[in-house]
Amino acid sequence: MYVARLRYIQTIHERPERRNPDMLVRHFIPALLRLRTAWMGEQELSRLRSDPFYYYLVARTRYYDQVVNDAIAGGLDRVVGVGCGSDTRAYRFQDRLRNQGIKVLECDQTESITEKQRLTKQWRHFGHVEHLGIDLNDGAWPKLEAWLGDNKPRTLVLMEGVSPYVNSREMTQFLRLLSSRLAPGSPVAYDFKIRGVKDDFGRGGRTEIPFRLSTVKDEVADFHAALGLQLEQMELSSALERRVLPDLNGSAPLFEEDGLLRLRVS
């Protein structure tokens, strides 16, 4: 809900060059909270804007929107969103997805995905979306494997803001699973927390050793190559903000904790 509310704030309180493109996220916000958000004062907005994560979220949303658009343009059979939470891309891009016959599977922990399914049930869409409860910390995902099947159609896997909350071993196992079950050339995109920066972030519950990666591109490439994934692009969160939101120009602190990756199944 925190991320969803930030996105909603960014859709109604930011000028176009800084606006979050997720206009559907408002449907995840209770009506009373939407009303309160619409009447936020400048003091509270200033406080939010001073948090480095705030504008990074705008940049990250636009980044993954581009990932989806590029994957659709490149030819695709399916999209799998893992830890999809309040992600609305299955609905914001539904015309393009439907026109090309692309199916979408939204995955999250059972309670979260059940609630999302309830909320989106009344949305106007065309049956292209399915939902599945999984927990990446389980270490095995038979229901997802069954859904993926054995014929290996071309699939985009998207994991936005997920890996910091997953144990390193299980995240590595999941990446290996993707490389073994997806068609060669299938795109995989996810972000990660930089090793040595807030190493306790995400730790709690079943997550004891949160997944982390280096900022050294060759090390990141070698790690994924051993799992059957080819690194195509790596961008640090601060560089992404400078590229996607150039008008910030030092007026807001940059987020320097994450890296973002585009990969392909070898």
Side-chain angles (χ1 to χ4, degrees), residues 52-53 55-57 59-60 63 191-194 197 215 234-245 248 253-261:
F53 180 74
Y55 282 118
Y56 169 57
L57 180 59
R60 194 179 75 179
Y63 174 88
D191 50 86
F192 65 91
K193 271 280 179 287
I194 295 169
V197 178
T215 58
M234 174 175 168
E235 190 168 19
L236 297 182
S237 51
S238 54
L240 174 68
E241 281 189 88
R242 292 189 187 98
R243 177 173 66 84
V244 176
L245 298 171
L248 289 179
L254 295 175
F255 192 76
E256 299 183 348
E257 300 177 14
D258 285 11
L260 303 99
L261 303 175

Side-chain angles (χ1 to χ4, degrees), residues 1-11 18-22 25 48 51-65 86-87 89 92 160-161 191 237 240-241 244-245 248 253-255 258 260:
M1 181 57 68
Y2 177 70
V3 169
R5 183 169 181 262
L6 282 186
R7 282 189 169 127
Y8 179 56
I9 289 167
Q10 293 160 353
T11 65
R18 298 185 182 185
R19 189 169 297 153
N20 196 300
D22 189 355
V25 75
L48 288 174
D51 181 352
F53 180 74
Y54 180 81
Y55 282 118
Y56 169 57
L57 180 59
V58 178
R60 194 179 75 179
T61 304
R62 295 183 182 182
Y63 174 88
Y64 282 109
D65 280 4
S86 58
D87 181 1
R89 294 182 180 93
R92 287 192 286 125
E160 180 182 2
D191 50 86
S237 51
L240 174 68
E241 281 189 88
V244 176
L245 298 171
L248 289 179
L254 295 175
F255 192 76
D258 285 11
L260 303 99

Side-chain angles (χ1 to χ4, degrees), residues 2-266:
Y2 177 70
V3 169
R5 183 169 181 262
L6 282 186
R7 282 189 169 127
Y8 179 56
I9 289 167
Q10 293 160 353
T11 65
I12 62 175
H13 288 292
E14 295 297 334
R15 57 182 185 263
E17 58 269 26
R18 298 185 182 185
R19 189 169 297 153
N20 196 300
D22 189 355
M23 303 301 291
L24 285 182
V25 75
R26 67 185 185 276
H27 295 292
F28 292 125
I29 311 296
L32 183 58
L33 185 55
R34 285 204 308 268
L35 183 60
R36 289 174 178 169
T37 299
W39 289 94
M40 285 179 65
E42 280 301 319
Q43 185 174 358
E44 186 174 1
L45 284 169
S46 295
R47 179 183 61 78
L48 288 174
R49 289 165 177 157
S50 68
D51 181 352
F53 180 74
Y54 180 81
Y55 282 118
Y56 169 57
L57 180 59
V58 178
R60 194 179 75 179
T61 304
R62 295 183 182 182
Y63 174 88
Y64 282 109
D65 280 4
Q66 190 62 54
V67 168
V68 174
N69 277 316
D70 290 348
I72 293 173
L76 201 62
D77 298 300
R78 305 181 300 190
V79 176
V80 177
V82 179
C84 58
S86 58
D87 181 1
T88 66
R89 294 182 180 93
Y91 310 95
R92 287 192 286 125
F93 297 116
Q94 69 174 357
D95 288 342
R96 294 193 67 196
L97 294 166
R98 182 172 61 92
N99 289 341
Q100 295 193 30
I102 299 170
K103 298 293 185 180
V104 179
L105 179 68
E106 296 198 313
C107 305
D108 211 321
Q109 294 183 357
T110 300
E111 183 178 351
S112 297
I113 203 65
T114 300
E115 177 64 9
K116 184 171 188 179
Q117 188 173 16
R118 184 188 70 80
L119 290 170
T120 59
K121 188 175 183 179
Q122 59 189 352
W123 291 13
R124 179 178 173 270
H125 60 88
F126 299 92
H128 66 296
V129 184
E130 298 178 61
H131 299 87
L132 182 64
I134 66 170
D135 187 331
L136 291 190
N137 276 328
D138 283 347
W141 308 276
K143 291 182 179 179
L144 176 60
E145 289 191 64
W147 189 89
L148 291 173
D150 297 319
N151 57 346
K152 293 189 174 183
R154 191 174 171 87
T155 305
L156 164 66
V157 175
L158 205 67
M159 295 181 279
E160 180 182 2
V162 173
S163 75
Y165 303 96
V166 182
N167 278 311
S168 182
R169 183 180 65 179
E170 281 71 24
M171 183 67 186
T172 302
Q173 288 176 205
F174 188 70
L175 292 171
R176 186 179 286 112
L177 169 69
L178 295 179
S179 71
S180 69
R181 298 305 296 267
L182 303 182
S186 290
V188 176
Y190 76 95
D191 50 86
F192 65 91
K193 271 280 179 287
I194 295 169
R195 185 178 298 127
V197 178
K198 292 191 175 180
D199 281 338
D200 285 334
F201 183 90
R203 182 175 287 133
R206 300 176 66 193
T207 306
E208 298 176 352
I209 305 176
F211 181 80
R212 297 291 187 269
L213 288 175
S214 165
T215 58
V216 180
K217 187 174 182 180
D218 286 347
E219 293 180 9
V220 174
D222 289 345
F223 168 79
H224 289 92
L227 302 175
L229 296 165
Q230 178 184 353
L231 177 64
E232 291 202 324
Q233 182 187 75
M234 174 175 168
E235 190 168 19
L236 297 182
S237 51
S238 54
L240 174 68
E241 281 189 88
R242 292 189 187 98
R243 177 173 66 84
V244 176
L245 298 171
D247 74 294
L248 289 179
N249 195 27
S251 63
L254 295 175
F255 192 76
E256 299 183 348
E257 300 177 14
D258 285 11
L260 303 99
L261 303 175
R262 290 200 194 196
L263 309 134
R264 287 200 181 271
V265 176
S266 300

